[in-house]
């Protein structure tokens, strides 16, 4: 092989190697291998003096051309490699799951509230809202709660020092309709029942509403009590509405909310705004009414009763209907109310109401 043929072959190999280079470290060693002090180019140059005289000129010229081409190609390649991402070591495993983005979720109390509202909406109930700041008339007097009733005690309600401001509607921000002349002091509503009065004052029967919202009571925080919680109130008024309708509506609710095998019972009770009144119990959703757990020990959720209380209900007291100008001889109705946190605690097996407001991501991300 002549020197010229050897040069062509080296040139071909070098350009092929250069084309395959993917990072700057490989380009550096390529540079050293060909153009370095002990490189291939130096080795080829050192052989020129031993060539025949007529070959020397041509060989020197070709070698120079080769050197220039190589230097130029290396210079062209360098900036591309510097901007390209450097892969060192093993390639990443592209089959691994992607990074989990936490997009948040619905709070268990609001999820429960939405579930409850959904069940009653499907039975034709409208959703109504009212102000959280109420007057004594709507919170107590109009609901047949007498002045000497213990729930009017300053320790059972938050009273406010408002002089001129009108209560605002919690949804629209607009001022609520003027309170009655016997409105009395302002307070944070202790139940959602005043919205029953506000709805009936503005509407004629028949009507069928549910009222979700926050209520306030000056309770010391404990596993079962918190100064703010949520209620859902229901009201149906019309001609010929009886206890049978109440039972039918609540039976559908209990089965939809807690499962088709859930049974319901009424227990006589007393509320000033309903007559007759009843507490509603359902078969314990933990032991399914068996009263004992799988170890044959007394069920801790229902305390071995087999039943758990979930809401209060009754037929709207004639005085309440008369207070809003309805003819209690012509119209009858039923009402019921439940604590949303209590339902959520039963449904999701939560043993402390305070967990709902602690904003602990570990707790909230379970739902
Ligand atoms: Zn039980």
């Amino acid at each position: 092989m002549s020197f010229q043929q050897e040069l062509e072959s080296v040139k071909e190999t070098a350009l092929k190697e250069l084309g395959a280079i993917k990072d700057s470290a490989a380009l550096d060693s390529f540079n050293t291998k060909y153009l370095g002090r002990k490189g291939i180019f130096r080795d080829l140059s050192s052989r020129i003096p031993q060539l025949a005289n007529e070959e020397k000129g041509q060989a020197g010229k070709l070698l120079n051309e080769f050197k220039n081409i190589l230097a130029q190609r290396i210079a062209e390649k360098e900036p591309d490699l510097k901007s390209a991402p450097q892969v060192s070591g093993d390639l990443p495993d592209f089959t691994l799951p992607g990074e989990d983005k936490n997009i948040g979720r619905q709070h268990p109390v609001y999820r429960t509230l939405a579930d409850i509202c959904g069940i009653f909406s499907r039975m034709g109930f409208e959703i109504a809202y009212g102000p959280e700041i109420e007057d004594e008339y709507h919170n107590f007097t109009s609901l047949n709660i007498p002045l000497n009733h213990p729930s009017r005690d300053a320790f059972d309600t938050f009273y406010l020092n408002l002089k001129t401001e009108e209560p605002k509607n919690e949804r629209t921000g607009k001022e609520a309709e003027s309170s009655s002349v016997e409105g009395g002091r302002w307070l944070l509503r202790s139940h959602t029942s005043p919205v029953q009065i506000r709805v009936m004052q503005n509407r004629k029967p028949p009507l069928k509403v549910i009222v979700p919202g926050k209520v306030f009571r000056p309770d010391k925080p404990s596993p079962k009590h918190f100064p703010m919680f949520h209620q859902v109130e229901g009201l149906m008024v019309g001609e010929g509405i009886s206890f049978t309708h109440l039972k039918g509506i609540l039976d559908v609710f209990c089965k939809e909310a807690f499962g088709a095998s859930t049974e319901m019972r009424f227990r006589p009770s007393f509320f000033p705004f309903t007559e007759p009144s009843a507490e509603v119990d359902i078969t314990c959703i933990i032991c399914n009414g068996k009263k004992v757990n799988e170890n044959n020990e007394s069920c801790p959720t229902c305390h071995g009763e087999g039943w758990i209380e979930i809401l209060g209900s009754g037929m709207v007291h004639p005085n309440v209907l008369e207070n809003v100008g309805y003819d209690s001889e012509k119209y009858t109705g039923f009402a019921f109310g439940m604590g949303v946190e209590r339902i959520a605690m039963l449904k999701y097996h939560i043993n402390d109401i305070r967990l709902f407001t602690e904003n602990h991501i570990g707790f909230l991300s379970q739902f």
Side-chain angles (χ1 to χ4, degrees), residues 98-117:
E99 205 177 297
D100 192 16
K101 293 273 183 284
N102 192 352
I103 54 165
R105 63 198 74 214
Q106 214 171 17
H107 191 281
V109 168
Y110 269 80
R111 176 180 292 200
T112 308
L113 198 62
D115 287 348
I116 296 169
C117 289

PDB file of all heavy atoms in Angstrom, residues 98-117:
ATOM      1  N   GLY A  98     -44.487   7.966  35.959  1.00  0.00           N
ATOM      2  CA  GLY A  98     -44.137   9.377  35.987  1.00  0.00           C
ATOM      3  C   GLY A  98     -44.242   9.970  37.381  1.00  0.00           C
ATOM      4  O   GLY A  98     -44.734   9.330  38.299  1.00  0.00           O
ATOM      5  N   GLU A  99     -43.780  11.203  37.510  1.00  0.00           N
ATOM      6  CA  GLU A  99     -43.831  11.891  38.793  1.00  0.00           C
ATOM      7  C   GLU A  99     -45.292  12.196  39.122  1.00  0.00           C
ATOM      8  O   GLU A  99     -46.018  12.681  38.279  1.00  0.00           O
ATOM      9  CB  GLU A  99     -43.051  13.192  38.669  1.00  0.00           C
ATOM     10  CG  GLU A  99     -42.519  13.694  39.979  1.00  0.00           C
ATOM     11  CD  GLU A  99     -41.688  14.948  39.764  1.00  0.00           C
ATOM     12  OE1 GLU A  99     -40.653  14.866  39.066  1.00  0.00           O
ATOM     13  OE2 GLU A  99     -42.105  15.994  40.258  1.00  0.00           O
ATOM     14  N   ASP A 100     -45.711  11.909  40.364  1.00  0.00           N
ATOM     15  CA  ASP A 100     -47.105  12.090  40.751  1.00  0.00           C
ATOM     16  C   ASP A 100     -47.360  13.560  41.081  1.00  0.00           C
ATOM     17  O   ASP A 100     -46.722  14.128  41.944  1.00  0.00           O
ATOM     18  CB  ASP A 100     -47.393  11.213  41.972  1.00  0.00           C
ATOM     19  CG  ASP A 100     -48.877  11.130  42.252  1.00  0.00           C
ATOM     20  OD1 ASP A 100     -49.669  11.475  41.350  1.00  0.00           O
ATOM     21  OD2 ASP A 100     -49.241  10.724  43.366  1.00  0.00           O
ATOM     22  N   LYS A 101     -48.291  14.163  40.354  1.00  0.00           N
ATOM     23  CA  LYS A 101     -48.656  15.559  40.639  1.00  0.00           C
ATOM     24  C   LYS A 101     -49.880  15.561  41.548  1.00  0.00           C
ATOM     25  O   LYS A 101     -50.895  14.967  41.229  1.00  0.00           O
ATOM     26  CB  LYS A 101     -48.999  16.300  39.342  1.00  0.00           C
ATOM     27  CG  LYS A 101     -47.805  16.483  38.425  1.00  0.00           C
ATOM     28  CD  LYS A 101     -47.034  17.744  38.761  1.00  0.00           C
ATOM     29  CE  LYS A 101     -45.887  17.983  37.800  1.00  0.00           C
ATOM     30  NZ  LYS A 101     -44.731  17.103  38.041  1.00  0.00           N
ATOM     31  N   ASN A 102     -49.768  16.230  42.710  1.00  0.00           N
ATOM     32  CA  ASN A 102     -50.886  16.279  43.639  1.00  0.00           C
ATOM     33  C   ASN A 102     -51.848  17.390  43.225  1.00  0.00           C
ATOM     34  O   ASN A 102     -51.538  18.564  43.368  1.00  0.00           O
ATOM     35  CB  ASN A 102     -50.350  16.519  45.054  1.00  0.00           C
ATOM     36  CG  ASN A 102     -51.411  16.296  46.094  1.00  0.00           C
ATOM     37  OD1 ASN A 102     -52.584  16.105  45.758  1.00  0.00           O
ATOM     38  ND2 ASN A 102     -51.034  16.326  47.348  1.00  0.00           N
ATOM     39  N   ILE A 103     -53.006  17.002  42.675  1.00  0.00           N
ATOM     40  CA  ILE A 103     -53.931  18.027  42.191  1.00  0.00           C
ATOM     41  C   ILE A 103     -55.020  18.349  43.213  1.00  0.00           C
ATOM     42  O   ILE A 103     -55.927  19.105  42.939  1.00  0.00           O
ATOM     43  CB  ILE A 103     -54.592  17.625  40.849  1.00  0.00           C
ATOM     44  CG1 ILE A 103     -55.254  16.255  40.968  1.00  0.00           C
ATOM     45  CG2 ILE A 103     -53.594  17.636  39.712  1.00  0.00           C
ATOM     46  CD1 ILE A 103     -56.214  15.956  39.847  1.00  0.00           C
ATOM     47  N   GLY A 104     -54.928  17.757  44.413  1.00  0.00           N
ATOM     48  CA  GLY A 104     -55.930  18.047  45.438  1.00  0.00           C
ATOM     49  C   GLY A 104     -57.195  17.242  45.241  1.00  0.00           C
ATOM     50  O   GLY A 104     -57.354  16.568  44.222  1.00  0.00           O
ATOM     51  N   ARG A 105     -58.077  17.300  46.231  1.00  0.00           N
ATOM     52  CA  ARG A 105     -59.318  16.533  46.142  1.00  0.00           C
ATOM     53  C   ARG A 105     -60.371  17.174  47.031  1.00  0.00           C
ATOM     54  O   ARG A 105     -60.080  18.080  47.794  1.00  0.00           O
ATOM     55  CB  ARG A 105     -59.071  15.086  46.531  1.00  0.00           C
ATOM     56  CG  ARG A 105     -58.627  14.935  47.982  1.00  0.00           C
ATOM     57  CD  ARG A 105     -57.981  13.597  48.214  1.00  0.00           C
ATOM     58  NE  ARG A 105     -56.654  13.545  47.631  1.00  0.00           N
ATOM     59  CZ  ARG A 105     -56.118  12.455  47.105  1.00  0.00           C
ATOM     60  NH1 ARG A 105     -56.796  11.342  47.085  1.00  0.00           N
ATOM     61  NH2 ARG A 105     -54.902  12.468  46.604  1.00  0.00           N
ATOM     62  N   GLN A 106     -61.586  16.667  46.909  1.00  0.00           N
ATOM     63  CA  GLN A 106     -62.681  17.218  47.691  1.00  0.00           C
ATOM     64  C   GLN A 106     -62.552  16.818  49.160  1.00  0.00           C
ATOM     65  O   GLN A 106     -62.218  15.672  49.459  1.00  0.00           O
ATOM     66  CB  GLN A 106     -63.989  16.680  47.118  1.00  0.00           C
ATOM     67  CG  GLN A 106     -65.112  17.657  47.214  1.00  0.00           C
ATOM     68  CD  GLN A 106     -66.333  17.180  46.453  1.00  0.00           C
ATOM     69  OE1 GLN A 106     -66.460  16.004  46.122  1.00  0.00           O
ATOM     70  NE2 GLN A 106     -67.233  18.087  46.183  1.00  0.00           N
ATOM     71  N   HIS A 107     -62.807  17.766  50.053  1.00  0.00           N
ATOM     72  CA  HIS A 107     -62.761  17.497  51.490  1.00  0.00           C
ATOM     73  C   HIS A 107     -63.864  16.479  51.838  1.00  0.00           C
ATOM     74  O   HIS A 107     -64.956  16.557  51.285  1.00  0.00           O
ATOM     75  CB  HIS A 107     -62.986  18.819  52.234  1.00  0.00           C
ATOM     76  CG  HIS A 107     -62.712  18.739  53.697  1.00  0.00           C
ATOM     77  ND1 HIS A 107     -63.619  18.191  54.575  1.00  0.00           N
ATOM     78  CD2 HIS A 107     -61.637  19.117  54.429  1.00  0.00           C
ATOM     79  CE1 HIS A 107     -63.105  18.251  55.800  1.00  0.00           C
ATOM     80  NE2 HIS A 107     -61.902  18.814  55.733  1.00  0.00           N
ATOM     81  N   PRO A 108     -63.573  15.519  52.753  1.00  0.00           N
ATOM     82  CA  PRO A 108     -64.583  14.489  53.054  1.00  0.00           C
ATOM     83  C   PRO A 108     -65.927  15.066  53.510  1.00  0.00           C
ATOM     84  O   PRO A 108     -66.977  14.486  53.216  1.00  0.00           O
ATOM     85  CB  PRO A 108     -63.937  13.642  54.157  1.00  0.00           C
ATOM     86  CG  PRO A 108     -62.721  14.391  54.600  1.00  0.00           C
ATOM     87  CD  PRO A 108     -62.311  15.266  53.464  1.00  0.00           C
ATOM     88  N   VAL A 109     -65.900  16.216  54.208  1.00  0.00           N
ATOM     89  CA  VAL A 109     -67.166  16.810  54.654  1.00  0.00           C
ATOM     90  C   VAL A 109     -67.957  17.321  53.441  1.00  0.00           C
ATOM     91  O   VAL A 109     -69.161  17.100  53.334  1.00  0.00           O
ATOM     92  CB  VAL A 109     -66.925  17.964  55.661  1.00  0.00           C
ATOM     93  CG1 VAL A 109     -68.196  18.766  55.892  1.00  0.00           C
ATOM     94  CG2 VAL A 109     -66.417  17.404  56.979  1.00  0.00           C
ATOM     95  N   TYR A 110     -67.263  17.972  52.504  1.00  0.00           N
ATOM     96  CA  TYR A 110     -67.959  18.482  51.324  1.00  0.00           C
ATOM     97  C   TYR A 110     -68.393  17.362  50.394  1.00  0.00           C
ATOM     98  O   TYR A 110     -69.426  17.471  49.740  1.00  0.00           O
ATOM     99  CB  TYR A 110     -67.117  19.554  50.611  1.00  0.00           C
ATOM    100  CG  TYR A 110     -67.483  20.905  51.164  1.00  0.00           C
ATOM    101  CD1 TYR A 110     -66.952  21.344  52.374  1.00  0.00           C
ATOM    102  CD2 TYR A 110     -68.451  21.688  50.550  1.00  0.00           C
ATOM    103  CE1 TYR A 110     -67.344  22.532  52.942  1.00  0.00           C
ATOM    104  CE2 TYR A 110     -68.850  22.891  51.109  1.00  0.00           C
ATOM    105  CZ  TYR A 110     -68.288  23.317  52.299  1.00  0.00           C
ATOM    106  OH  TYR A 110     -68.708  24.486  52.858  1.00  0.00           O
ATOM    107  N   ARG A 111     -67.608  16.297  50.356  1.00  0.00           N
ATOM    108  CA  ARG A 111     -68.022  15.156  49.534  1.00  0.00           C
ATOM    109  C   ARG A 111     -69.311  14.561  50.101  1.00  0.00           C
ATOM    110  O   ARG A 111     -70.251  14.255  49.374  1.00  0.00           O
ATOM    111  CB  ARG A 111     -66.910  14.101  49.531  1.00  0.00           C
ATOM    112  CG  ARG A 111     -67.318  12.848  48.769  1.00  0.00           C
ATOM    113  CD  ARG A 111     -66.216  11.835  48.792  1.00  0.00           C
ATOM    114  NE  ARG A 111     -65.071  12.315  48.014  1.00  0.00           N
ATOM    115  CZ  ARG A 111     -64.124  11.525  47.544  1.00  0.00           C
ATOM    116  NH1 ARG A 111     -64.176  10.247  47.765  1.00  0.00           N
ATOM    117  NH2 ARG A 111     -63.126  12.024  46.855  1.00  0.00           N
ATOM    118  N   THR A 112     -69.368  14.422  51.434  1.00  0.00           N
ATOM    119  CA  THR A 112     -70.565  13.889  52.088  1.00  0.00           C
ATOM    120  C   THR A 112     -71.762  14.820  51.854  1.00  0.00           C
ATOM    121  O   THR A 112     -72.867  14.377  51.546  1.00  0.00           O
ATOM    122  CB  THR A 112     -70.303  13.722  53.602  1.00  0.00           C
ATOM    123  OG1 THR A 112     -69.104  12.961  53.770  1.00  0.00           O
ATOM    124  CG2 THR A 112     -71.446  13.026  54.299  1.00  0.00           C
ATOM    125  N   LEU A 113     -71.508  16.134  51.994  1.00  0.00           N
ATOM    126  CA  LEU A 113     -72.555  17.139  51.772  1.00  0.00           C
ATOM    127  C   LEU A 113     -73.102  17.031  50.344  1.00  0.00           C
ATOM    128  O   LEU A 113     -74.319  17.052  50.127  1.00  0.00           O
ATOM    129  CB  LEU A 113     -71.942  18.527  51.998  1.00  0.00           C
ATOM    130  CG  LEU A 113     -72.869  19.706  52.230  1.00  0.00           C
ATOM    131  CD1 LEU A 113     -73.680  19.508  53.493  1.00  0.00           C
ATOM    132  CD2 LEU A 113     -72.058  20.990  52.344  1.00  0.00           C
ATOM    133  N   ALA A 114     -72.185  16.894  49.378  1.00  0.00           N
ATOM    134  CA  ALA A 114     -72.616  16.792  47.977  1.00  0.00           C
ATOM    135  C   ALA A 114     -73.419  15.512  47.748  1.00  0.00           C
ATOM    136  O   ALA A 114     -74.418  15.510  47.024  1.00  0.00           O
ATOM    137  CB  ALA A 114     -71.397  16.836  47.052  1.00  0.00           C
ATOM    138  N   ASP A 115     -72.987  14.403  48.407  1.00  0.00           N
ATOM    139  CA  ASP A 115     -73.720  13.132  48.275  1.00  0.00           C
ATOM    140  C   ASP A 115     -75.145  13.275  48.815  1.00  0.00           C
ATOM    141  O   ASP A 115     -76.104  12.836  48.191  1.00  0.00           O
ATOM    142  CB  ASP A 115     -73.008  12.008  49.061  1.00  0.00           C
ATOM    143  CG  ASP A 115     -71.724  11.560  48.378  1.00  0.00           C
ATOM    144  OD1 ASP A 115     -71.515  11.943  47.206  1.00  0.00           O
ATOM    145  OD2 ASP A 115     -70.926  10.852  49.028  1.00  0.00           O
ATOM    146  N   ILE A 116     -75.252  13.896  50.009  1.00  0.00           N
ATOM    147  CA  ILE A 116     -76.576  14.057  50.640  1.00  0.00           C
ATOM    148  C   ILE A 116     -77.469  14.922  49.742  1.00  0.00           C
ATOM    149  O   ILE A 116     -78.616  14.566  49.450  1.00  0.00           O
ATOM    150  CB  ILE A 116     -76.435  14.694  52.051  1.00  0.00           C
ATOM    151  CG1 ILE A 116     -75.660  13.760  52.993  1.00  0.00           C
ATOM    152  CG2 ILE A 116     -77.809  15.024  52.637  1.00  0.00           C
ATOM    153  CD1 ILE A 116     -75.248  14.392  54.319  1.00  0.00           C
ATOM    154  N   CYS A 117     -76.918  16.068  49.283  1.00  0.00           N
ATOM    155  CA  CYS A 117     -77.708  16.972  48.425  1.00  0.00           C
ATOM    156  C   CYS A 117     -78.110  16.254  47.135  1.00  0.00           C
ATOM    157  O   CYS A 117     -79.226  16.442  46.635  1.00  0.00           O
ATOM    158  CB  CYS A 117     -76.918  18.241  48.096  1.00  0.00           C
ATOM    159  SG  CYS A 117     -76.726  19.326  49.522  1.00  0.00           S
TER     160      CYS A 117
END
